[in-house]
Amino acid sequence: MVVAFNVTGDEQGEWTVLSVSGELDLVTSPVLRARVHDAVAEGRHSLVLDLSEVYFCDSSGVGVLIASRRLIHSCRGKLRLILPAQGAADGSHVNRVLGALGVRRLFEVHPDLDSATEDPATDDEAGSLSA
């Protein structure tokens, strides 16, 4: 079975949402890296990566996620991941990989788009910087 890799972009309020599907590996991870860099270069510092349709993620995929976190944080931005407990057929593969590597705690994880693009009152009270 061949799974096509795809990254699509959308805007949801202040958030740029990149929906990723397929396998996030050595061959495809540079595509996601480029899309994240493009969004940041365009001044979009509130980013949601929807990984609920990623069926496979290797170390290079994890590396892109960690590098994306570092890039967004250097811009004082916000990065959120969508990793539903039951996504991508039998459960989020990315969720399991990040947990196994002990790096899931580095990310703000949400189960769906609605919760990922909500801003709790505490964010507003903290005085977020606008781009």
Side-chain angles (χ1 to χ4, degrees):
M1 174 175 123
V2 175
V3 179
F5 180 79
N6 195 23
V7 180
T8 57
D10 194 17
E11 298 298 318
Q12 185 93 7
E14 72 167 299
W15 295 93
T16 296
V17 180
L18 296 179
S19 299
V20 184
S21 61
E23 297 183 0
L24 187 54
D25 58 19
L26 183 63
V27 173
T28 60
S29 59
V31 175
L32 180 57
R33 181 185 307 270
R35 291 295 299 270
V36 169
H37 279 259
D38 289 349
V40 170
E42 292 168 4
R44 299 178 190 341
H45 298 157
S46 295
L47 187 64
V48 173
L49 297 180
D50 182 350
L51 305 173
S52 57
E53 294 301 319
V54 172
Y55 289 82
F56 175 80
C57 180
D58 70 4
S59 60
S60 54
V62 172
V64 167
L65 297 177
I66 292 171
S68 297
R69 177 186 180 273
R70 190 176 304 124
L71 176 64
I72 293 290
H73 282 227
S74 73
C75 300
R76 296 180 181 247
K78 296 178 273 187
L79 175 66
R80 295 177 178 173
L81 305 183
I82 298 176
L83 294 172
Q86 296 299 317
D90 64 341
S92 173
H93 176 79
V94 179
N95 208 359
R96 291 193 308 269
V97 169
L98 295 179
L101 293 173
V103 296
R104 186 181 184 278
R105 62 183 170 70
L106 298 176
F107 298 97
E108 187 178 338
V109 177
H110 293 267
D112 55 46
L113 183 60
D114 289 339
S115 68
T117 55
E118 277 181 357
D119 265 325
T122 54
D123 278 1
D124 296 336
E125 292 167 7
S128 58
L129 297 175
S130 57

